[in-house]
Amino acid sequence: MEQQPTVTPSGADETVETIFRIESPRIIAGLTRVVRDVGIAEELAQDALVAALEQWPRDGVPDNPGAWLMATARHRAIDLVRRRERYARKLEEIGRGLETAVPFEEPADPDDIDDDLLRLVFTACHPVLSAEARIALTLRLLGGLTTPEIARAFLVPEATVAQRIVRAKRTLAAKGVPFEVPYGPDREGRLGSVLEVIYLVFNEGYAATAGDDLMRPALCEEALRLARVLAELMPKEPEVHGLVALLELQESRAAARTGPSGEPVLLKDQNRRRWNRLLIRRGFAALARADSVTGGAPGPYALQAAIAASHAQAHTYEDTDWRQIATLYGLLAARSPSPVVELNRAVAVSMADGPGPALDIVDALATEPALRGYHLLPSVRGDLLARLGRTGEARAEFERAAGLARNERERELLEARARECR
């Protein structure tokens, strides 16, 4: 088999880590299917990463790096269970299965689904874990986020996130949580957490917390795929369809969100002819399904999808029905209150009623602990101040937002906005 050209030592780490970040969720899910332990599976995947860092700079990147990493992780699994005495029992049970790579036999239930990544999400969202632990573990395993990235996303100390992840893996192992998509009430009981982590994985792909790129498309694609699979699995759950609608509509804008050099393009400046009309139609259809099966008021995902649909219906930025969007954000704030929702409502209010009323909403959020260190708060405030002609104050807010931003592309955009105010 031919291999890609050898990578230089200076670029090797970045090449390997980029590939691993894309492939690691499937590797961990595939290994968990066999070893039935999330913690061990993640450790095996990390061993494969170390091997790649040692070999690829010397031998070249394989044609199929994902398969190489998976095969290496399986070999490491055999070595690991043989090397550690506490895995002696596991060796007897699964050692031969690892060597022959025989898939675990799944129940032939018509409601079963053969998707390791979805199994991984449901396993990590088991109710034996706290809500915070479920989210942190799934973002680590499925989203490939590092502990510092998760900590920044939720504005909590890194040590707290690290403890949650370690304890979560230990708890799943100690409780013997099966690696499966559960049935009936158990599935319904975990649904809220599963939807939340799929949503968060998509958001990390749509607007990366850190790094040099605004987006991580592979995460968006995987989250959307999982949401679609879940909608087929649970067709009578309105919030599943609401989430699918939201992700379809958000993803429809992806091609227009960055310029030729990867720079962010604001919504008002996007070329709407580049919006994906097929995804928009799929989003509208999913939103209609959510409406058809809902038993009452729409849930948070359906409301967010309705907001995204309002944007998709506008042929130009000027055609946007901001008053309707502000109303929908008001409903969302009542249904699922959060400072971030209120900040988004302020943006819509600024477009419907002017920057003055919106600034009052934003200023009321200044003391919110959850928004401390959140770069979009001073960013929105800077925009409102600039529109009010208070350019000196606006510049200070944009500079503060740039200092808080961890994504390089967002930082560049905010620095540019600050320069415009001079």
Side-chain angles (χ1 to χ4, degrees):
M1 178 183 293
E2 294 184 1
Q3 291 185 312
Q4 298 174 17
T6 302
V7 292
T8 62
S10 61
D13 288 2
E14 183 177 352
T15 300
V16 175
E17 289 173 5
T18 298
I19 293 172
F20 181 78
R21 195 163 193 168
I22 294 170
E23 299 289 347
S24 63
R26 293 184 182 278
I27 294 170
I28 293 170
L31 291 171
T32 304
R33 178 186 182 120
V34 182
V35 302
R36 322 304 276 190
D37 188 306
V38 169
I40 296 174
E42 187 182 18
E43 185 175 347
L44 296 172
Q46 290 293 330
D47 285 347
L49 171 62
V50 172
L53 287 169
E54 292 173 350
Q55 296 182 38
W56 291 4
R58 182 188 67 236
D59 302 333
V61 179
D63 285 342
N64 190 337
W68 188 100
L69 288 165
M70 176 61 86
T72 301
R74 287 184 181 276
H75 291 312
R76 288 290 192 277
I78 297 170
D79 294 339
L80 184 65
V81 294
R82 287 174 176 168
R83 187 168 68 241
R84 297 183 179 180
E85 183 176 345
R86 70 175 182 271
Y87 292 140
R89 182 176 60 81
K90 289 184 179 290
L91 174 62
E92 183 179 347
E93 295 175 356
I94 66 172
R96 294 186 180 278
L98 283 168
E99 290 179 337
T100 57
V102 175
F104 187 85
E105 186 176 348
E106 297 295 330
D109 190 289
D111 208 22
D112 187 43
I113 184 166
D114 186 20
D115 192 303
D116 283 342
L117 281 170
L118 199 58
R119 287 191 185 94
L120 183 61
V121 175
F122 271 96
T123 301
C125 289
H126 196 281
V128 297
L129 304 178
S130 68
E132 295 82 5
R134 297 174 205 167
I135 293 170
L137 181 61
T138 311
L139 289 178
R140 173 69 173 270
L141 298 178
L142 186 67
L145 273 68
T146 64
T147 298
E149 286 172 341
I150 299 172
R152 282 196 295 267
F154 290 94
L155 307 175
V156 295
E158 291 182 23
T160 301
V161 172
Q163 289 173 356
R164 287 174 183 171
I165 292 172
V166 170
R167 290 172 181 168
K169 289 187 287 189
R170 288 175 179 168
T171 299
L172 291 176
K175 298 292 186 181
V177 173
F179 182 63
E180 64 179 7
V181 175
Y183 304 99
D186 288 341
R187 179 182 294 174
E188 295 169 5
R190 294 188 220 177
L191 181 59
S193 292
V194 170
L195 293 179
E196 183 175 14
V197 295
I198 292 175
Y199 172 71
L200 291 171
V201 168
F202 181 89
N203 280 352
E204 178 60 27
Y206 196 70
T209 305
D212 296 331
D213 298 318
L214 179 68
M215 301 180 66
R216 295 171 59 187
L219 288 184
C220 292
E221 292 169 5
E222 195 56 60
L224 184 51
R225 186 189 70 81
L226 289 174
R228 289 169 177 166
V229 171
L230 202 56
E232 294 295 324
L233 197 64
M234 307 182 75
K236 296 183 180 180
E237 291 290 342
E239 276 292 77
V240 176
H241 297 299
L243 179 63
V244 172
L246 173 60
L247 303 193
E248 299 275 14
L249 292 167
Q250 293 290 82
E251 180 66 8
S252 72
R253 305 180 207 158
R257 292 186 67 238
T258 55
S261 301
E263 71 277 11
V265 179
L266 298 176
L267 180 62
K268 65 184 180 65
D269 298 322
Q270 289 177 15
N271 180 357
R272 300 194 175 208
R273 286 176 294 181
R274 299 191 65 197
W275 288 8
N276 189 313
R277 308 313 300 182
L278 173 60
L279 291 179
I280 289 174
R281 288 194 296 272
R282 292 178 66 111
F284 286 160
L287 187 55
R289 283 192 291 272
D291 291 339
S292 69
V293 297
T294 188
Y301 296 118
L303 285 170
Q304 291 179 74
I307 292 169
S310 294
H311 287 295
Q313 288 169 336
H315 295 294
T316 67
Y317 185 74
E318 292 72 23
D319 292 336
T320 306
D321 189 343
W322 288 105
R323 194 163 301 282
Q324 179 188 50
I325 291 174
T327 299
L328 289 169
Y329 269 120
L331 294 173
L332 181 60
R335 183 77 167 77
S336 182
S338 84
V340 174
V341 170
E342 194 68 2
L343 184 61
N344 285 326
R345 187 175 76 86
V347 174
V349 168
S350 77
M351 300 303 297
D353 300 322
L359 186 60
D360 292 337
I361 299 173
V362 172
D363 286 344
L365 296 171
T367 58
E368 280 287 344
L371 297 183
R372 188 180 301 118
Y374 186 53
H375 69 286
L376 292 182
L377 178 61
S379 172
V380 170
R381 192 168 190 273
D383 183 70
L384 297 175
L385 290 168
R387 289 166 58 188
L388 288 168
R390 296 159 61 178
T391 54
E393 295 171 82
R395 181 176 67 249
E397 290 296 311
F398 284 130
E399 289 173 346
R400 186 162 75 91
L404 293 171
R406 295 293 178 266
N407 183 280
E408 187 62 31
R409 294 297 189 174
E410 286 188 300
R411 183 184 298 114
E412 291 171 355
L413 175 64
L414 291 165
E415 290 172 346
R417 294 296 305 275
R419 289 192 297 271
E420 293 171 0
C421 294
R422 289 176 181 169

